[in-house]
Amino acid sequence: MAAAAKQAQQLARQFFKLSVVDNVVSTDRVAGVLAYVEKHAPANAVLVLKAYHRLIAVELAKSEARVEHAGTVAPTALAAIAAAMTKKYSRPITSTARAHPALLAGLRVRVGDDVYESSVSGQLAALALSV
Amino acid sequence: MSTVLDQIEQQIAKLSTKAVKKNTGNIRTIADGVAKIDGLSDVMYNEMVAFPGGAIGIALNLEETEVGCVILGDVSKLKEGDEVTTTGKLLSVPVGKALLGRVVDALGNAVDGKGPIDAKETYPVERIAPGIMARKSVNQPLFTGIMAIDSMIPIGRGQRELIIGDRGTGKTTIAIDTIINQAKINKVGLASGDAKFRPVYSIYVAIGQKSSNIVRTVAALEAAGALEYTIIVAATAADNPANQYIAPYSGAAMGEWFMENGMDALIVYDDLSKHAVAYRQISLILKRPSGREAYPGDVFYLHSRLLERAARLDGKGSLTALPIIETLAGDVSAYIPTNVISITDGQIFLETDLFNQGIRPAVSVGLSVSRVGSSAQIKATKQVGGKLKGELAQFRELAAFAQFGSDLDAKTKAQLERGARIVELFKQPAFSPAAIELQVSILFAMQKGFFDPIDAKKVVAAAANMKNFFTTRKDALLTEIRNKAALDKDLEAKLQAACDEWKSGYTA
């Protein structure tokens, strides 16, 4: 089982490398990989596709700045965030907004595993830890 | 009132309005104190990670798709999907004299109900051991108060001496006796006002032990007045394996503080067999490849990096380690015992047979060794006990040989008689370590044949009587031996006279 998972992981990584062009996931390449898998189903195809899905999802998350906000966010602010993150990570990053009233005020921006906390609820949590 | 408001305002001002960057991940699976986490792309090996609810973890496995963490603290409220964040810090524990007299857990939190610990400093739990140039050779004695050990298997400050034996052979008792003896020496030394006196502080790390045993140990130390010089790090059998795994490293960090600050410390790891078992459990859950006896490949490094932290530093203090290993049916060739034997600077081997024969401490003189040797002994002990190990070895050989026949020459008979008396003389009750000057006096009496006319079965009582005689009536002589640390002609004459006086007044 462990050997099968390892093999699946290796194959998924190869598919993943084929799917990325200039640090960006290519929709065409992903479609090509999926077509190939459908035609030449590898052993443990489900494991391979799950591993491939995870790798692609992680990569896509790195190219997206998810902005959680309490209140309203101006489109210019979203554009400014996207530009700042693009510069910081040296890769094209788009921004998407999502309302999150529990933040009370401010923003929380997530790019991949990195979270930039600038909300009142985040500061209150830090205060609670420091007291 | 305004002061309180000022404090809050200052605290708020400290919290920057700038965005704070955190690296996060999510729990994928969690079981037996180990969590597999997606994300945490910036995490470092051995970095502390924060779980919801205040629990903390240590990143031990950095894999391509996930991070394996051991969790220290309450895991019952953690669930799949919970967010985990990196802290950028290594796990640290409070250190310093504020911990003396306290019982703490593996993270240095007080568990004795005596309130919070006012420690000013923290030390990282994992530290690289001192290098070669920083070290100094071990040549200062650390007296255990156990005659058989101090005279034949001497321990020096900065040494690593393994205590090994089956269950119920008195391993912990030897360690506790040693701690009690340090406290006794500290009290005498500090009361004397000697500026050169260096007290030894003790750290007792209990790994995977029953809570009731730890309570008993604390009570024994308290009753002997040794708790005030001792820190107890408790990772009981009820604690999760991560806490048991980290506890000896926490204790080592506390001991290192004393060493780095020019003081001497003693650390007891009770015991490393259970520590290895806890690490095996963690490793198996982390799906690390298993080797001999299902231990992971780095189980040697687990103990070598811990014990290498014991040292005597040039221009600073020392940390002496007494690791304990429990064997099964006296098998010292098992995996963990051989590992730790090869790491340490000697071992005190305790035998079940000797214990059952009533020879306590059940030290097997033949199998026990101290690689530091007589350089960690004072001259007086060398003078009176230098040949003891050889004499005892000869006695055991002769005793085994004498079982085959009864016709023995006078010399052999005398050797057997002497050997039997030495064995009796080394019997010592638990928690009553003897001061080195008293040991020297008793051994002097034995060398001069004062116990020869006494029936072997009555030697223990005679020795107890002699100890009592010396402590109550020859205190000045004992102090002189302690201060001179060597027997010159004058002292020998005084000792001879004292022994004669004891002999004239003693009736078996």
Side-chain angles (χ1 to χ4, degrees):
Chain A
M1 185 65 190
K6 202 174 173 182
Q7 277 180 353
Q9 188 66 40
Q10 281 173 348
L11 189 56
R13 176 144 292 275
Q14 283 177 2
F15 286 151
F16 170 73
K17 280 180 183 169
L18 291 171
S19 310
V20 177
V21 181
D22 296 334
N23 281 339
V24 179
V25 176
S26 158
T27 318
D28 294 343
R29 294 279 185 103
V30 171
V33 166
L34 292 177
Y36 176 83
V37 170
E38 199 174 358
K39 199 173 174 186
H40 311 280
N44 302 305
V46 176
L47 281 179
V48 174
L49 285 175
K50 277 186 177 175
Y52 179 62
H53 176 268
R54 180 180 287 168
L55 291 169
I56 293 290
V58 168
E59 193 60 26
L60 286 175
K62 286 181 189 171
S63 303
E64 183 189 12
R66 280 187 287 161
V67 182
E68 294 174 15
H69 57 91
T72 53
V73 181
T76 49
L78 279 179
I81 288 169
M85 293 301 168
T86 301
K87 193 179 169 192
K88 186 173 177 65
Y89 287 94
S90 306
R91 62 191 296 164
I93 290 177
T94 56
S95 61
T96 54
R98 200 187 75 172
H100 191 175
L103 296 181
L104 302 176
L107 297 172
R108 182 187 286 161
V109 183
R110 182 185 291 270
V111 182
D113 295 337
D114 293 339
V115 175
Y116 298 87
E117 182 78 61
S118 183
S119 68
V120 170
S121 73
Q123 291 191 23
L124 287 174
L127 183 64
L129 277 177
S130 65
V131 171
Chain B
M1 194 59 148
S2 62
T3 323
V4 178
L5 289 173
D6 286 345
Q7 281 179 348
I8 297 171
E9 280 164 13
Q10 279 170 12
Q11 191 69 47
I12 291 168
K14 271 190 212 166
L15 294 168
S16 164
T17 49
K18 266 174 67 180
V20 180
K21 186 188 171 189
K22 295 187 292 185
N23 191 253
T24 62
N26 295 94
I27 298 176
R28 188 198 292 178
T29 61
I30 183 163
D32 302 308
V34 173
K36 300 276 181 70
I37 298 159
D38 275 333
L40 292 183
S41 53
D42 287 352
V43 75
M44 296 177 289
Y45 180 66
N46 261 338
E47 186 182 341
M48 215 159 71
V49 293
F51 285 85
I56 56 167
I58 304 166
L60 283 186
N61 264 24
L62 307 186
E63 292 174 32
E64 191 181 356
T65 55
E66 64 186 18
V67 175
C69 284
V70 292
I71 303 162
L72 304 155
D74 186 16
V75 294
S76 60
K77 288 178 184 129
L78 299 178
K79 58 185 188 304
E80 186 192 340
D82 278 351
E83 191 177 87
V84 185
T85 55
T86 57
T87 61
K89 293 181 202 159
L90 293 172
L91 183 65
S92 300
V93 286
V95 293
K97 284 192 174 177
L99 281 108
L100 290 170
R102 305 299 302 267
V103 184
V104 296
D105 65 9
L107 300 175
N109 301 314
V111 290
D112 52 5
K114 293 180 185 171
I117 295 167
D118 184 28
K120 303 273 184 278
E121 279 183 78
T122 58
Y123 265 29
V125 163
E126 291 273 5
R127 284 183 106 201
I128 294 173
I132 300 163
M133 298 313 289
R135 290 176 190 247
K136 208 174 167 188
S137 61
V138 175
N139 57 13
Q140 289 180 332
L142 184 126
F143 302 118
T144 62
I146 297 160
M147 263 168 60
I149 296 173
D150 288 341
S151 60
M152 293 185 290
I153 318 146
I155 300 171
R157 294 186 186 195
Q159 190 178 344
R160 292 88 43 96
E161 181 79 5
L162 170 66
I163 303 173
I164 184 168
D166 279 8
R167 62 182 292 272
T169 50
K171 301 182 294 299
T172 303
T173 308
I174 286 182
I176 300 300
D177 272 349
T178 309
I179 292 175
I180 291 173
N181 198 44
Q182 303 320 306
K184 280 186 175 179
I185 295 170
N186 289 353
K187 280 177 186 166
V188 174
L190 293 171
S192 72
D194 181 4
K196 286 182 183 168
F197 177 74
R198 294 167 69 93
V200 177
Y201 299 99
S202 307
I203 298 130
Y204 178 79
V205 186
I207 310 153
Q209 290 191 32
K210 288 185 280 187
S211 300
S212 58
N213 281 354
I214 299 172
V215 168
R216 214 174 298 146
T217 302
V218 174
L221 291 174
E222 205 158 18
L227 195 62
E228 60 188 292
Y229 298 102
T230 311
I231 302 167
I232 294 177
V233 182
T236 66
D239 282 2
N240 71 33
N243 286 55
Q244 293 180 36
Y245 158 66
I246 216 76
Y249 299 100
S250 302
M254 291 168 195
E256 276 169 339
W257 182 85
F258 290 104
M259 179 171 70
E260 295 284 345
N261 287 282
M263 289 172 267
D264 293 325
L266 162 75
I267 186 161
V268 176
Y269 302 111
D270 192 3
D271 65 69
L272 291 188
S273 310
K274 291 192 186 78
H275 182 236
V277 168
Y279 187 60
R280 173 170 66 183
Q281 194 174 335
I282 291 168
S283 299
L284 290 173
I285 297 167
L286 283 169
K287 292 196 168 45
R288 287 181 174 178
S290 57
R292 183 174 160 189
E293 293 177 28
Y295 287 105
D298 64 343
V299 76
F300 186 92
Y301 180 56
L302 172 83
H303 289 149
S304 64
R305 74 173 192 267
L306 173 70
L307 293 169
E308 273 296 297
R309 289 164 74 172
R312 185 172 168 224
L313 297 183
D314 196 7
K316 291 182 181 173
S318 71
L319 178 63
T320 311
L322 292 181
I324 293 176
I325 286 282
E326 187 178 297
T327 53
L328 286 171
D331 181 16
V332 288
S333 63
Y335 191 24
I336 302 302
T338 47
N339 276 358
V340 183
I341 284 172
S342 71
I343 296 163
T344 49
D345 307 314
Q347 70 274 348
I348 297 165
F349 184 66
L350 304 176
E351 274 186 57
T352 312
D353 286 350
L354 292 177
F355 189 86
N356 292 339
Q357 283 167 29
I359 301 169
R360 295 172 197 178
V363 177
S364 166
V365 178
L367 289 174
S368 301
V369 68
S370 169
R371 286 174 204 156
V372 169
S374 59
S375 56
Q377 268 181 328
I378 58 167
K379 197 178 173 192
T381 314
K382 280 186 229 175
Q383 284 171 300
V384 293
K387 293 172 188 165
L388 269 175
K389 207 171 178 193
E391 276 182 42
L392 261 182
Q394 227 169 14
F395 162 69
R396 297 231 189 272
E397 204 175 303
L398 282 175
F401 189 68
Q403 285 179 337
F404 297 109
S406 56
D407 290 338
L408 300 168
D409 61 275
K411 194 186 166 195
T412 311
K413 269 186 185 172
Q415 274 183 319
L416 284 171
E417 294 280 323
R418 167 63 67 92
R421 276 160 186 76
I422 299 173
V423 170
E424 289 297 312
L425 207 62
F426 281 154
K427 286 183 181 174
Q428 216 173 318
F431 309 139
S432 58
I436 194 69
E437 57 272 19
L438 200 55
Q439 291 183 32
V440 169
S441 308
I442 301 288
L443 290 175
F444 177 86
M446 193 273 298
Q447 292 287 18
K448 296 291 176 189
F450 281 91
F451 292 105
D452 289 353
I454 298 165
D455 184 40
K457 286 178 185 167
K458 291 177 181 171
V459 166
V460 175
N465 185 281
M466 185 181 256
K467 280 178 192 169
N468 193 33
F469 169 80
F470 271 100
T471 42
T472 54
R473 294 175 60 183
K474 298 289 168 192
D475 195 40
L477 180 58
L478 291 178
T479 310
E480 202 176 340
I481 297 170
R482 185 172 63 237
N483 292 339
K484 283 189 175 172
L487 297 182
D488 52 19
K489 282 188 179 168
D490 175 45
L491 257 182
E492 279 190 20
K494 282 181 185 172
L495 264 176
Q496 181 77 33
C499 290
D500 285 333
E501 192 184 331
W502 169 77
K503 192 183 175 187
S504 61
Y506 179 70
T507 45

